[in-house]
Amino acid sequence: MKVIDGAEYKRRIAALKSSVWYDGKLVEDITDHPAFRGGIQSQAELYDLQNEEEHQSITMSSSQFGTSYLIPRTKADLEKRRKLVQLWARHTAGMMGRSPDYMNTVLASFAASKNLLENEENCFPDRLQAFYEKAKGEDLSFTHTFINPQNNRASLSFLDEDDQNARIVDKTEEGLIIRGAKLLATQGGMTDEVIVYSAPGASKKEYAYLFSIPTDTAGLKFVCRSSFGVDSSRFNSPLSSRFEEMDSLVLFDDVLVPWERVFLYENIRAADQLYVKGKFTPMTLHQIVSRQVIKTEFVLGLAIKIVEEIQIEEYHHVQSKVAEMIKARESLKALLLLSENDSLEDEAGVMVPARLPLYTAINEFQRFYPRFTEILQLLGASGLVTLPSEDAFQSDLREDLNFYLRTGVSNGEDKVRLYRLAWDVAMSSFGSRQTLYERFFFGDPVRIEQVIYQSCNKESYSQFAEEFLHKKS
Ligand SMILES: Cc1cc2nc3c(=O)[nH]c(=O)nc-3n(C[C@H](O)[C@H](O)[C@H](O)COP(=O)(O)OP(=O)(O)OC[C@H]3O[C@@H](n4cnc5c(N)ncnc54)[C@H](O)[C@@H]3O)c2cc1C
């Protein structure tokens, strides 16, 4: 089997019986629980889409595994990856940050960087390669958890003894023993596997590792927040009912990680190098920005629909707000294509998209996306709260609601349907979490800006200015 369909994805997740905790209770069947059902169904639809004949020239690589696992060797491979990501993103309006392509790309990027683990102490590039082959052969699904819990973020926090963070507490014949916590995993329990990696900057060797384990491994627990997807009405909650991905604290209660699943341990330098010099950042950012272009197009479309619905197009400030979104879309798309255009083949034969345009795009999106939601609020105004429910439209009030909530374009029900969509982007708990997600999920915007500053070849620009200063004619 090279690619799975939605039914197989659901069957596997239900069979796992992972230790997922919701509201203080162990979840029995995650695929049938109201907190998770919508997100799991949407994920299943993506797998079904992967199988559709008409899309297979995009969704499948020439070797018949999913394109999301493809390690790009040519510019055409990058283009194919972009098209796959955007096909899936269109199905979710870009609202599922963790559609399968995200983590499949992460694993492919680690495998594409295995040369950095060669001849390094406690590093196992062959195991990483074998695991990548297994994952793409079985079309495994993944979540990940990289960051330590948010306790002390002071620059000298590493001086504190910390028994909170997940760390290696023992090594046995069978494998590593891990104890402690990781900050969070989106879709914890909704995937076959979880990839666990030490964030760069581990200060002690027991905090440096990279491994993957099945989600139902003994001692592994996912502790969830409250779900934003419990209202299953598509009319009431058009996005939350379908694309709630859930976030969970990850606890390791003396978890045994078998040696064949350990790719790196107790080697701080190798763990850092894999992040800094490996292909994780450029390959993953290429996936992310491809999705963000589609999400921008969706939210832009929504803003245009609101402008048309209440006929406010004539006002200059309205045009200006929509133009802001158009410019954002053009900039993101240009940066994405620039990253492909400037991609370079590295020593391992991987076509690596250019980093700086992608870093620029994600850092801009961290600013753009909250502004998009603000623009929807500024255009939608009170329409974003005059939102009777689906049941209200099925009641004796129906006629009144259709009449008094009508616009020049729609009856009340259709107007509310549109505005509920905008509300789910810009105002609901789901919408706020989307904003927080786009601000932070790939890292703190402040520190991404620092990376942009540090990675830019500033000398070439200062030299240009210098030469100009001293030019005689
Ligand atoms: C919705 C959501 C989903 C996520 N999903 C996942 C997931 O599936 N897996 C995963 O591993 N991670 C996930 N993350 C975590 C994400 O990687 C982190 O949020 C991100 O790296 C920022 O870390 P933090 O949240 O701990 O913020 P902090 O580092 O605690 O930052 C908090 C504040 O302190 C400031 N600050 C802290 N340290 C510094 C510093 N050194 N210099 C300057 N300012 C500083 C920041 O600028 C910020 O204002 C997710 C995050 C969100 C919000």
Side-chain angles (χ1 to χ4, degrees):
M1 175 205 341
K2 292 273 174 106
V3 293
I4 56 169
D5 61 13
E8 174 63 7
Y9 160 71
K10 280 194 194 169
R11 192 198 59 71
R12 289 207 304 218
I13 302 309
L16 276 172
K17 304 274 178 233
S18 305
S19 182
V20 177
W21 291 78
Y22 186 78
D23 213 8
K25 294 182 199 75
L26 189 61
V27 171
E28 284 202 5
D29 177 1
I30 194 169
T31 59
D32 194 33
H33 190 290
F36 306 89
R37 210 162 31 207
I40 288 178
Q41 174 55 29
S42 295
Q43 196 84 324
E45 288 165 14
L46 297 177
Y47 283 111
D48 283 340
L49 207 60
Q50 180 174 241
N51 278 281
E52 279 177 16
E53 189 89 36
E54 60 171 310
H55 299 307
Q56 290 205 339
S57 62
I58 292 173
T59 60
M60 305 291 290
S61 73
S62 52
S63 315
Q64 293 304 298
F65 59 82
T67 302
S68 58
Y69 277 109
L70 179 67
I71 295 177
R73 306 278 172 195
T74 60
K75 289 192 188 214
D77 285 348
L78 284 174
E79 185 185 343
K80 185 166 180 164
R81 288 191 54 88
R82 162 166 48 83
K83 286 183 172 163
L84 176 268
V85 172
Q86 297 196 328
L87 174 77
W88 269 345
R90 279 200 166 270
H91 188 74
T92 65
M95 297 286 161
M96 284 192 98
R98 302 304 163 84
S99 49
D101 42 323
Y102 180 75
M103 281 309 298
N104 296 358
T105 302
V106 170
L107 179 60
S109 77
F110 283 141
S113 312
K114 71 180 167 99
N115 54 318
L116 294 170
L117 303 185
E118 263 146 30
N119 305 317
E120 285 283 348
E121 196 184 5
N122 300 334
C123 290
F124 310 98
D126 294 345
R127 287 182 197 160
L128 177 57
Q129 179 67 32
F131 182 66
Y132 163 70
E133 297 297 337
K134 171 184 166 64
K136 78 178 186 194
E138 296 175 22
D139 204 4
L140 294 178
S141 56
F142 291 88
T143 182
H144 73 296
T145 188
F146 289 1
I147 313 284
N148 291 322
Q150 193 187 44
N151 170 343
N152 180 353
R153 295 292 198 241
S155 50
L156 296 180
S157 61
F158 63 89
L159 296 175
D160 289 347
E161 269 301 306
D162 201 341
D163 57 5
Q164 194 178 16
N165 302 343
R167 64 207 179 276
I168 301 163
V169 291
D170 203 0
K171 286 165 291 206
T172 69
E173 262 185 29
E174 287 99 316
L176 299 176
I177 306 293
I178 306 288
R179 186 183 302 159
K182 281 286 194 191
L183 178 74
L184 77 104
T186 297
Q187 288 200 0
M190 288 167 60
T191 60
D192 294 304
E193 293 262 334
V194 52
I195 295 180
V196 188
Y197 179 38
S198 44
S203 55
K204 296 179 200 147
K205 63 183 172 93
E206 58 269 35
Y207 294 98
Y209 41 71
L210 171 65
F211 57 84
S212 182
I213 45 175
T215 302
D216 65 345
T217 301
L220 182 64
K221 291 193 193 83
F222 299 95
V223 184
C224 301
R225 60 163 165 76
S226 300
S227 175
F228 305 140
V230 283
D231 182 350
S232 61
S233 159
R234 278 223 191 169
F235 181 90
N236 292 344
S237 304
L239 299 173
S240 344
S241 63
R242 299 178 63 195
F243 305 127
E244 158 68 324
E245 293 190 280
M246 186 53 80
D247 304 291
S248 56
L249 169 73
V250 188
L251 302 180
F252 296 81
D253 189 3
D254 286 3
V255 169
L256 168 68
V257 182
W259 283 117
E260 71 268 18
R261 294 307 198 87
V262 178
F263 313 127
L264 177 167
Y265 76 100
E266 293 186 350
N267 186 334
I268 295 174
R269 201 178 73 89
D272 288 355
Q273 290 299 300
L274 190 65
Y275 189 88
V276 177
K277 291 197 173 158
K279 269 84 79 175
F280 166 74
T281 301
M283 282 178 61
T284 310
L285 279 177
H286 182 260
Q287 184 279 340
I288 291 167
V289 179
S290 300
R291 175 186 60 80
Q292 289 175 336
V293 168
I294 300 300
K295 191 169 187 172
T296 302
E297 291 175 356
F298 172 72
V299 182
L300 168 61
L302 209 43
I304 294 169
K305 293 280 292 171
I306 288 174
V307 170
E308 290 168 354
E309 186 73 28
I310 55 170
Q311 298 170 69
I312 51 176
E313 193 175 6
E314 68 193 272
Y315 304 115
H316 178 254
H317 79 94
V318 169
Q319 294 173 14
S320 167
K321 288 181 174 90
V322 175
E324 230 184 294
M325 298 171 88
I326 297 169
K327 288 187 287 183
R329 186 265 179 194
E330 294 300 304
S331 308
L332 291 171
K333 188 170 175 197
L335 288 164
L336 177 62
L337 296 181
L338 180 63
S339 81
E340 290 176 20
N341 187 65
D342 289 1
S343 59
L344 289 174
E345 190 180 334
D346 75 352
E347 67 286 355
V350 178
M351 188 58 71
V352 187
R355 288 168 199 247
L356 200 52
L358 293 171
Y359 263 128
T360 305
I362 194 172
N363 199 224
E364 285 295 83
F365 199 70
Q366 289 170 321
R367 195 169 55 84
F368 289 156
Y369 193 74
R371 175 66 180 154
F372 295 165
T373 63
E374 185 183 33
I375 290 175
L376 287 183
Q377 288 189 10
L378 292 171
L379 300 178
S382 63
L384 294 168
V385 289
T386 38
L387 296 173
S389 67
E390 184 172 22
D391 285 350
F393 279 99
Q394 301 310 321
S395 73
D396 293 346
L397 293 169
R398 182 178 179 80
E399 218 171 295
D400 277 351
L401 294 180
N402 269 329
F403 184 76
Y404 291 112
L405 288 174
R406 78 188 190 285
T407 64
V409 179
S410 309
N411 66 14
E413 187 172 357
D414 287 344
K415 185 205 172 193
V416 170
R417 194 189 306 280
L418 169 66
Y419 272 67
R420 275 198 172 265
L421 189 54
W423 163 84
D424 224 359
V425 173
M427 292 186 58
S428 67
S429 310
F430 173 88
S432 309
R433 186 259 177 205
Q434 287 282 319
T435 304
L436 192 77
Y437 182 83
E438 298 297 1
R439 279 190 205 271
F440 280 108
F441 81 97
F442 199 74
D444 173 19
V446 173
R447 280 169 276 171
I448 292 185
E449 204 164 46
Q450 282 171 354
V451 174
I452 291 174
Y453 180 82
Q454 284 154 6
S455 58
C456 168
N457 178 5
K458 295 182 282 299
E459 211 185 303
S460 67
Y461 302 114
S462 66
Q463 207 177 331
F464 177 27
E466 176 74 15
E467 281 166 13
F468 193 87
L469 268 177
H470 297 102
K471 226 174 178 175
K472 297 279 183 270
S473 57

